[in-house]
Amino acid sequence: MKLQQVFDFLAVTQHGSVHAAARATGQTQPALTKSLRRLERTLGLPLFDRHAKGMRPNDYGKRFLPHAQHLVHETKRARDTMSQMRGERLGTVQYGISAAASVLLSTSAIHRFRQRYPEVELSCRSGLYHTLTPLLREGQLDFAICSLNADDTDPQLKARVLLTSPLVMAARRDHPLGQARSLHELSEAVFAVAGPPGQPGASVYPVFSQAGLGIPRVDMQTDGLIDTAALVANSDRMALLPTALITTGLLREQLDIVPIVEPLPSYVIGLIQRTAQPLTPAAEELSTQFEREAADLRTASP
């Protein structure tokens, strides 16, 4: 199996026909057709269903697709690593980051990175732990920065903590329950969460359970803490949010901390990468700048 055959497989998968793929890649249709046939012959299986309007991967092709994508991503990283070690400042860094981590860390980290790698393309994917780590495992990301899930131990991944921020109960300014002192006073409150139960952004579930309050009234689940904070700032919903997000985030003038006396967990933001694959020099530099910004933020916190 040759790497060019894998690239050709992905091109046909993306464009839906040999004609469109050949035009997009600058090849002739006969050359691309021969490449695909050789790939299928090597694998011993057909990879596409042919139909009047083009081609689409069959069940074998669908199973081969993530392997093909992984090969291409790793090939690109290998080339970037070698060129950057030669002193060239080109290539791509693909990373994932949660919205809250981006608000807290991105601006200065990226500014310093650009001073060393002005020509490297940055590709950022927004998401949470449960959406970013599958992309990381598949090789579509160099690293991810998001909340860590202590219950998920995956030997394919390793993480280092960047920030630990205590969770607080947040409500809009002048919320009728804004001066509540106990979780028991919030038994009828409505909450928004950032992610499904079991994820760090949905900590209100275990907090209520440990307080003997059963299941909280949650009517909104978002894809991130920023969305959750915006809902809280503009409604009577409440949410558990990291202190750092409230004190330094975009909505700090619209949110208040409800003075709950019960102990609440912390929100841990970490940098996650694959255990077996080293970062390219450019990706290593960007991750280092994120770590530096997190250290500065920890130092500045009271």
Side-chain angles (χ1 to χ4, degrees), residues 162-210:
L162 298 184
L163 287 174
T164 299
S165 181
L167 287 172
V168 291
M169 189 64 69
R172 65 167 174 82
R173 292 283 170 90
D174 300 320
H175 192 287
L177 295 174
Q179 297 305 310
R181 302 280 298 172
S182 171
L183 289 170
H184 292 267
E185 297 177 58
L186 306 180
S187 59
E188 298 301 317
V190 178
F191 294 90
V193 295
Q199 297 299 320
S203 296
V204 70
Y205 288 104
V207 164
F208 260 53
S209 177
Q210 292 165 14

Side-chain angles (χ1 to χ4, degrees), residues 115-154:
Q115 293 175 337
R116 293 200 61 188
Y117 287 91
E119 302 300 325
V120 167
E121 178 184 350
L122 294 182
S123 175
C124 175
R125 182 76 172 264
S126 181
L128 300 173
Y129 183 91
H130 65 286
T131 58
L132 294 178
T133 50
L135 300 177
L136 190 57
R137 293 185 188 98
E138 293 167 7
Q140 296 186 44
L141 299 175
D142 292 293
F143 61 84
I145 298 176
C146 59
S147 58
L148 300 181
N149 188 345
D151 296 330
D152 188 358
T153 55
D154 185 341

Side-chain angles (χ1 to χ4, degrees), residues 26-105:
Q27 300 183 68
T28 65
Q29 290 189 56
L32 190 51
T33 298
K34 182 184 291 187
S35 175
L36 290 178
R37 286 176 178 168
R38 286 177 174 172
L39 176 61
E40 291 178 323
R41 192 158 53 244
T42 298
L43 297 175
L45 293 166
L47 298 176
F48 291 95
D49 287 329
R50 276 80 171 173
H51 53 90
K53 295 184 179 180
M55 301 166 63
R56 59 174 174 267
N58 58 21
D59 289 342
Y60 302 123
K62 291 174 183 176
R63 289 294 296 270
F64 181 65
L65 179 59
H67 297 286
Q69 292 171 328
H70 181 78
L71 285 170
V72 169
H73 289 311
E74 290 309 311
T75 299
K76 178 70 165 56
R77 287 192 182 91
R79 290 173 178 169
D80 285 353
T81 295
M82 295 300 101
S83 67
Q84 290 162 15
M85 291 183 72
R86 289 195 304 267
E88 298 176 13
R89 301 290 178 171
L90 303 174
T92 303
V93 177
Q94 297 174 297
Y95 70 100
I97 191 166
S98 66
S102 184
V103 167
L104 296 172
L105 304 174

